[in-house]
Amino acid sequence: MIAALVAVILLVSADGPYTSIPEALAVAQPGDTILVHGGVHPALLIDKSVTIRGEAGAVIDGGGLGDVVTIDAPDVTLEGFELRRSGRVLYQEHAGVTVLQPRVTVRDNDIHDVLFGVFVKRGDHALIQGNHVTGYDYLDVHSRGDGLRAWYSVGARFIENRVERTRDVILWFSNDAVVKDNVISDGRYGLHFMYDDGMVVSGNHVHDNSVGMFLMYSSNVAVRDNLITDNSGPSGYGIGLKEVANLDVTGNVLLRNRIGVSFDTVPHGQDAFATFTGNLVAFNLAGMSFQPDTKRVELLTNSFDRNGTQIEIRGGGDLAGNVWNADRGNYWSDYVGYDADRDGIGDLAYEPQSLFESLRDEDPVLALFNFSPAALAVDFAARAVPNLRPSPKVVDAAPLTDNLAPPWFEAGRSARLPLATVTIVLLTLGVVVTRGMSRGFEAGTTRARDEDASMAMDDVSAILSARGLTKRYGDRTVLNALDLTVRRGEAVALWGGNGAGKTTAIRCIVGVVRHDGDVYVDGAHLAEEPRAVRRAIGYVPQDQQLTDLPARELLSFFGALRGVPADEVGATAILVGI
């Protein structure tokens, strides 16, 4: 009796003492460990409370039929295996691992070429950790299974997994779950939650899916410190919310999604609440999208930075029933007020009143004209004729003047976002065009240069010179002593990660923001001859809809809007921030 309570290790290898996992399972007692040294093993049913650990390249191959591993006992640990080739019948939910009992651990496995990855069915308190899951990526995304799925599983924990090219990571009817530090990409819904109360979702990186995260019909949910980027399907939500009550969204970063956050009946319930605090919402086509009847959402100390539209109200209206400021409101990159006492809070309220945006909210088809001359003309008319101005969508009486990204993102952005990627190129494009007496720009002269900082400002070939260009926001330096020269006939790229100061540099050069240092354009000093500089320079941001035009035609178009003769449009220098 005592011997039966002592855990033992059973070795499976080509040389024995056991040559197959089922052979070792047949004699194993609860609590034993089966150690598998190498070899390719067939699909497996685990029906005893044991630990099975793979080493030295151990593989379990499902042969393309059914589940690769089925766990039908509590207190099982499966770790260290390559698990591959499940069945492909979607309605039968063939999986790399199917969990049918509580307190199961599936850890540090490479699970690939499977329909579903890990499927936890009524597996309370499961721990799914450190696995790499890749689906049958040749299947259409809607025909794949879910990378990770929980069904009626209380207290499940999904931690530090990497999931690629599956359908969703989804939890249904699984209260008190923890979803933490996972990386999820190239799927349909990165994270999908339905009827999951008491859940914590934190530290995940969800990118390049159709939708980043969608929460539905749940309550008492915390969403914290997640990085949600480049989710751009037909809906393209970074975070989508539908009928969620008692929601806390704090410290998340939402970049380059079609819509940063979408609200649908949130908060749900008469006494329910929803709070958004300290989030960075940047470079999305729309920062946040609301139903017009949204009320009782508290949004404080968030940063809304250079979204195509900061706030969208589907069908029009305003959001007066929500809290946008207390002692401190939010940062808005399009805020045009000032901070005379330098306390970090603008002295005027933020009250966006774009007539074109209001018309577009009522009729989404008008989005075809985003950033077009027609849209600019509509807003110009509204500024000229006050009776045309709409009511502001949002009134933030204490707007912040500093863009405050969550501390974890500031500390780790260089590690979490690569220096140069296509997505960064798309989000930070800006062009400065300077016109001088010489018009020598020709196709094929584009090249990047690393200029020596000591180059003299009186270089006759220089159309643009910047020396010691510095910009500070309070105690924060965002641009530090930049030296830059662009000669006639050149195209020079500023290349760097998000937040490196590329856009700030361009805005300083064109005189949009105050700065320290000297800028010369075609011999004119920006501080002494600002009008001469502005006549000689133009700024084309990325947010316009004519990017399919060749460069010369694009410049000709904007030149015509400014009355520049066609024979003067040939640019002599171009500066691009990437």
Side-chain angles (χ1 to χ4, degrees):
M1 180 71 177
I2 295 176
L5 298 177
V6 178
V8 299
I9 296 177
L10 307 174
L11 178 62
V12 175
S13 72
D15 300 324
Y18 302 97
T19 58
S20 72
I21 302 174
E23 183 183 356
L25 264 174
V27 299
Q29 299 297 314
D32 286 351
T33 295
I34 298 174
L35 190 61
V36 182
H37 278 192
V40 178
H41 302 267
L44 178 65
L45 169 64
I46 304 174
D47 57 2
K48 292 183 178 179
S49 301
V50 297
T51 294
I52 302 182
R53 181 178 301 122
E55 294 186 349
V59 177
I60 301 178
D61 191 322
L65 300 171
D67 295 338
V68 179
V69 176
T70 302
I71 300 176
D72 197 5
D75 303 301
V76 169
T77 296
L78 176 71
E79 60 185 358
F81 283 91
E82 177 186 348
L83 307 174
R84 68 191 188 197
R85 296 208 300 161
S86 75
R88 300 173 178 82
V89 182
L90 190 60
Y91 73 89
Q92 293 185 357
E93 298 171 335
H94 293 152
V97 182
T98 295
V99 176
L100 301 173
Q101 296 287 342
R103 300 181 302 280
V104 167
T105 297
V106 179
R107 181 166 50 208
D108 297 334
N109 300 285
D110 181 7
I111 305 171
H112 65 90
D113 293 321
V114 292
L115 193 62
F116 288 76
V118 180
F119 191 171
V120 182
K121 301 180 182 180
R122 298 188 180 275
D124 292 350
H125 306 291
L127 172 60
I128 313 302
Q129 182 175 16
N131 303 284
H132 182 194
V133 179
T134 308
Y136 281 122
D137 55 5
Y138 65 84
L139 295 174
D140 177 85
V141 66
H142 301 286
S143 301
R144 303 173 195 167
D146 301 317
L148 304 173
R149 174 183 272 208
W151 173 263
Y152 281 100
S153 298
V154 174
R157 291 169 293 160
F158 294 87
I159 300 174
E160 298 172 345
N161 301 284
R162 183 155 55 104
V163 181
E164 302 173 279
R165 301 188 297 279
T166 65
R167 185 172 59 186
D168 304 345
V169 170
I170 184 168
L171 281 68
W172 290 38
F173 301 100
S174 296
N175 294 343
D176 302 320
V178 174
V179 181
K180 182 179 180 183
D181 296 335
N182 302 281
V183 179
I184 304 161
S185 64
D186 299 302
R188 185 181 63 173
Y189 289 13
L191 289 167
H192 193 185
F193 305 111
M194 298 183 68
Y195 304 101
D196 302 310
D197 297 339
M199 181 171 54
V200 176
V201 184
S202 68
N204 302 284
H205 184 186
V206 185
H207 66 95
D208 294 289
N209 303 283
S210 181
V211 171
M213 182 187 306
F214 211 122
L215 293 89
M216 306 171 70
Y217 317 123
S218 302
S219 64
N220 301 310
V221 175
V223 179
R224 299 171 183 154
D225 301 335
N226 299 282
L227 177 61
I228 303 173
T229 69
D230 303 293
N231 302 286
S232 55
S235 55
Y237 303 145
I239 298 177
L241 303 167
K242 182 176 178 62
E243 297 187 19
V244 180
N246 302 345
L247 173 68
D248 174 26
V249 180
T250 301
N252 302 279
V253 174
L254 297 109
L255 299 177
R256 303 184 301 269
N257 306 286
R258 199 178 78 78
I259 294 175
V261 183
S262 173
F263 295 79
D264 186 350
T265 320
V266 175
H268 182 60
Q270 185 172 358
D271 298 321
F273 66 84
T275 62
F276 285 74
T277 307
N279 302 284
L280 172 62
V281 183
F283 301 108
N284 305 282
L285 187 59
M288 288 188 172
S289 179
F290 293 82
Q291 287 184 319
D293 59 351
T294 301
K295 290 180 174 62
R296 293 178 291 109
V297 179
E298 184 176 275
L299 302 104
L300 299 175
T301 65
N302 303 286
S303 291
F304 295 91
D305 189 0
R306 285 168 284 181
N307 300 288
T309 299
Q310 304 281 39
I311 300 296
E312 173 185 86
I313 306 175
R314 300 188 292 273
D318 63 54
L319 298 170
N322 302 281
V323 178
W324 295 94
N325 60 273
D327 295 331
R328 290 160 57 85
N330 303 273
Y331 170 81
W332 308 90
S333 60
D334 55 335
Y335 175 62
V336 294
Y338 49 87
D339 178 15
D341 57 5
R342 298 192 176 184
D343 63 352
I345 298 175
D347 298 328
L348 300 174
Y350 173 76
E351 299 181 90
Q353 293 176 285
S354 167
L355 177 57
F356 176 75
E357 282 191 12
S358 297
L359 295 172
R360 186 197 55 213
D361 288 350
E362 295 178 9
D363 187 355
V365 173
L366 294 176
L368 291 170
F369 299 97
N370 280 352
F371 315 116
S372 70
L376 297 175
V378 168
D379 282 334
F380 178 80
R383 288 192 294 271
V385 183
N387 289 340
L388 294 178
R389 295 179 190 173
S391 299
K393 300 179 186 180
V394 174
V395 177
D396 186 343
L400 305 181
T401 56
D402 286 328
N403 183 348
L404 302 177
W408 65 263
F409 184 69
E410 283 290 349
R413 69 166 60 192
S414 61
R416 301 192 67 162
L417 289 180
L419 175 65
T421 66
V422 172
T423 52
I424 288 177
V425 169
L426 292 176
L427 74 89
T428 61
L429 178 63
V431 180
V432 174
V433 181
T434 61
R435 294 189 294 115
M437 295 304 293
S438 170
R439 285 180 276 280
F441 181 84
E442 297 179 0
T445 62
T446 302
R447 57 193 175 99
R449 301 179 57 87
D450 182 11
E451 296 291 349
D452 189 289
S454 64
M455 180 174 293
M457 291 185 191
D458 61 356
D459 183 346
V460 295
S461 65
I463 188 70
L464 167 65
S465 294
R467 292 294 177 265
L469 203 59
T470 300
K471 177 61 181 175
R472 298 182 181 88
Y473 292 98
D475 296 332
R476 183 182 178 194
T477 300
V478 296
L479 193 65
N480 188 18
L482 173 68
D483 293 312
L484 176 70
T485 297
V486 182
R487 295 187 178 89
R488 302 178 191 276
E490 289 186 335
V492 175
L494 301 180
W495 191 280
N498 183 46
K502 305 175 301 299
T503 302
T504 299
I506 292 175
R507 289 166 64 85
C508 291
I509 289 168
V510 299
V512 175
V513 296
R514 294 182 179 180
H515 58 273
D516 296 323
D518 296 290
V519 174
Y520 288 84
V521 176
D522 200 19
H525 190 275
L526 176 60
E528 298 174 359
E529 302 176 83
R531 292 187 178 182
V533 168
R534 288 172 181 168
R535 281 196 298 267
I537 197 166
Y539 173 45
V540 183
Q542 72 179 63
D543 297 326
Q544 46 82 26
Q545 302 298 305
L546 302 170
T547 53
D548 57 335
L549 292 178
R552 189 175 296 276
E553 292 183 25
L554 181 65
L555 297 174
S556 296
F557 175 82
F558 283 101
L561 293 180
R562 297 293 300 273
V564 177
D567 62 348
E568 294 185 18
V569 167
T572 62
I574 298 178
L575 172 64
V576 181
I578 297 180

